[in-house]
Short mmCIF file of all heavy atoms in Angstrom, two decimals:
data_model
loop_
_atom_site.label_atom_id
_atom_site.label_comp_id
_atom_site.label_asym_id
_atom_site.label_seq_id
_atom_site.Cartn_x
_atom_site.Cartn_y
_atom_site.Cartn_z
N GLY A 151 3.67 -12.99 -21.91
CA GLY A 151 4.12 -11.64 -22.24
C GLY A 151 3.37 -10.54 -21.43
O GLY A 151 3.09 -10.75 -20.25
N SER A 154 -2.60 -6.51 -19.47
CA SER A 154 -3.22 -5.30 -19.55
C SER A 154 -4.14 -4.83 -18.49
O SER A 154 -4.74 -5.75 -17.75
CB SER A 154 -4.04 -5.13 -20.94
OG SER A 154 -5.03 -6.06 -20.93
N SER A 162 -5.46 -21.11 26.59
CA SER A 162 -6.20 -22.28 26.73
C SER A 162 -7.59 -22.20 27.24
O SER A 162 -8.44 -23.01 27.20
CB SER A 162 -5.33 -23.16 27.63
OG SER A 162 -5.10 -22.62 28.91
N ALA A 211 -2.22 -3.79 0.40
CA ALA A 211 -3.20 -3.01 1.12
C ALA A 211 -4.66 -3.38 0.68
O ALA A 211 -5.36 -2.49 0.16
CB ALA A 211 -2.92 -1.58 0.72
N SER A 228 -13.47 -1.82 -2.79
CA SER A 228 -14.47 -1.29 -3.80
C SER A 228 -15.17 -2.38 -4.56
O SER A 228 -16.14 -2.26 -5.20
CB SER A 228 -13.67 -0.46 -4.85
OG SER A 228 -12.70 -1.18 -5.61
N ALA A 237 -3.49 -14.92 -18.67
CA ALA A 237 -2.56 -15.97 -18.67
C ALA A 237 -3.17 -17.23 -18.13
O ALA A 237 -3.74 -17.12 -17.07
CB ALA A 237 -1.38 -15.69 -17.87
N ASP A 287 21.59 -24.42 -7.73
CA ASP A 287 21.04 -24.54 -6.39
C ASP A 287 19.52 -24.54 -6.38
O ASP A 287 18.95 -23.46 -6.64
CB ASP A 287 21.71 -23.43 -5.43
CG ASP A 287 21.33 -23.61 -4.00
OD1 ASP A 287 20.80 -24.79 -3.59
OD2 ASP A 287 21.64 -22.67 -3.19
N SER A 392 10.32 -25.77 17.94
CA SER A 392 9.40 -26.67 17.32
C SER A 392 10.21 -27.90 16.81
O SER A 392 11.30 -27.72 16.27
CB SER A 392 8.68 -26.00 16.20
OG SER A 392 7.70 -26.91 15.52
N ARG A 400 5.01 -15.31 5.97
CA ARG A 400 5.53 -13.96 6.10
C ARG A 400 4.43 -12.88 6.06
O ARG A 400 3.39 -12.97 5.24
CB ARG A 400 6.53 -13.55 4.88
CG ARG A 400 7.40 -14.60 4.49
CD ARG A 400 8.25 -14.25 3.25
NE ARG A 400 7.33 -14.36 2.00
CZ ARG A 400 7.85 -14.70 0.93
NH1 ARG A 400 9.00 -14.98 0.71
NH2 ARG A 400 7.05 -14.73 -0.13
N SER A 446 -3.01 -13.62 8.27
CA SER A 446 -3.54 -12.47 7.56
C SER A 446 -2.48 -11.52 6.84
O SER A 446 -1.30 -11.72 7.13
CB SER A 446 -4.32 -11.57 8.60
OG SER A 446 -3.41 -10.96 9.59
N TYR A 451 -3.73 -11.49 12.52
CA TYR A 451 -4.72 -12.72 12.73
C TYR A 451 -4.21 -13.95 12.14
O TYR A 451 -3.42 -13.95 11.12
CB TYR A 451 -6.11 -12.33 12.13
CG TYR A 451 -6.78 -11.13 12.67
CD1 TYR A 451 -6.65 -9.80 12.11
CD2 TYR A 451 -7.50 -11.11 13.88
CE1 TYR A 451 -7.29 -8.67 12.65
CE2 TYR A 451 -8.12 -10.04 14.46
CZ TYR A 451 -7.96 -8.87 13.74
OH TYR A 451 -8.54 -7.69 14.32
N ALA A 453 -5.81 -18.07 11.26
CA ALA A 453 -6.90 -18.82 11.27
C ALA A 453 -6.45 -20.44 11.13
O ALA A 453 -5.35 -20.57 10.54
CB ALA A 453 -7.84 -18.52 10.05
N LEU A 495 -7.42 -13.69 5.05
CA LEU A 495 -7.79 -12.95 6.15
C LEU A 495 -7.37 -11.49 5.92
O LEU A 495 -6.26 -11.13 5.66
CB LEU A 495 -7.24 -13.39 7.53
CG LEU A 495 -7.47 -14.77 7.95
CD1 LEU A 495 -6.66 -15.13 9.17
CD2 LEU A 495 -9.03 -15.14 8.19
#
Side-chain angles (χ1 to χ4, degrees):
S154 61
S162 57
S228 63
D287 189 6
S392 178
R400 313 169 293 211
S446 67
Y451 299 95
L495 302 173

